[in-house]
Amino acid sequence: MPYPTAPQDTTTSPTLADQHTPEQRRPQTQLIVLLCILMAIIEVRCSENADKCDIAEGPWNLNNPVKASRSHQELHKELLLTHKKGLVVCCKPELQTVLERRKREQSQREEGEQSRSPLEQVLLQRQQKHQEMMKEKEEEQKIHEEVQLMEFVRVRQSLKKVHTALQKNIHS
């Protein structure tokens, strides 16, 4: 059956119903009925196999085996739940973040050392010498305190000996 052509008379614009006779519209209505039946079949299959079929994907799309796997679905659900709860999921492991921070700090130190003026370098050296001298003084002070403590212990022990000797002399 040949398809109808556009009317030759342009003075009046006939509607779609005027252009086509019922016999000419029959293939279009049959196509619409077939599409409705196909959609009903898809819905029935999807309701029977809810875990296998997704209405949004439809049977005409190929199934992605990664998305179809149970572990992927569980991971996706977990990510959605953590997002809803407001928990922040770390993008990088803790070790990697620590290593990156150390590397960043090291590069900042190196840049700081390179950009110092001669005056700053001299001041830094003096500060380091001063800190070393303070450490040495603290060590000497600790040693001196230990010596005093040892002397105190010796004096105490000698006093104990004298005291015990006096006690023996008194009792005898």
Side-chain angles (χ1 to χ4, degrees):
M1 175 183 309
Y3 288 100
T5 59
Q8 299 297 328
D9 186 7
T10 57
T11 56
T12 61
S13 58
T15 62
L16 186 60
D18 295 336
Q19 289 180 0
H20 303 291
T21 62
E23 298 166 351
Q24 293 172 335
R25 286 191 301 256
R26 185 171 295 161
Q28 293 173 350
T29 55
Q30 288 176 350
L31 183 62
I32 292 172
V33 170
L34 285 174
L35 285 175
C36 291
I37 293 171
L38 182 62
M39 290 301 291
I41 292 171
I42 291 171
E43 289 179 13
V44 168
R45 284 187 184 171
C46 288
S47 64
E48 290 174 357
N49 302 325
D51 57 322
K52 292 182 183 177
C53 182
D54 187 9
I55 295 174
E57 290 181 356
W60 49 87
N61 289 340
L62 297 174
N63 288 336
N64 187 347
V66 174
K67 287 185 178 181
S69 70
R70 168 84 70 207
S71 61
H72 177 81
Q73 291 173 357
E74 290 173 356
L75 180 63
H76 186 67
K77 285 180 184 178
E78 184 178 341
L79 286 172
L80 287 175
L81 287 174
T82 55
H83 180 70
K84 285 180 183 178
K85 289 180 183 177
L87 300 175
V88 178
V89 178
C90 290
C91 299
K92 297 179 183 178
E94 185 176 350
L95 177 63
Q96 187 176 3
T97 56
V98 169
L99 292 175
E100 287 177 355
R101 181 172 40 98
R102 285 184 184 173
K103 186 176 180 181
R104 189 172 47 247
E105 289 173 357
Q106 179 69 24
S107 64
Q108 288 175 352
R109 273 190 245 125
E110 291 174 358
E111 289 175 4
E113 291 174 1
Q114 292 174 356
S115 64
R116 289 190 183 128
S117 67
L119 176 64
E120 288 176 330
Q121 290 176 355
V122 170
L123 290 174
L124 183 62
Q125 289 175 353
R126 285 186 182 179
Q127 183 182 9
Q128 289 173 350
K129 285 180 183 177
H130 180 70
Q131 288 176 351
E132 289 175 6
M133 290 176 63
M134 293 299 288
K135 286 181 183 178
E136 290 175 3
K137 284 184 180 179
E138 288 176 4
E139 290 175 3
E140 289 175 4
Q141 189 176 6
K142 285 181 183 178
I143 291 172
H144 182 67
E145 288 175 358
E146 289 176 2
V147 169
Q148 286 180 348
L149 184 64
M150 297 290 283
E151 184 179 346
F152 171 76
V153 170
R154 274 186 280 136
V155 169
R156 184 174 177 216
Q157 287 176 351
S158 65
L159 284 175
K160 274 187 179 181
K161 288 178 185 176
V162 171
H163 183 65
T164 54
L166 285 175
Q167 289 291 334
K168 285 182 184 177
N169 286 339
I170 294 176
H171 291 296
S172 46

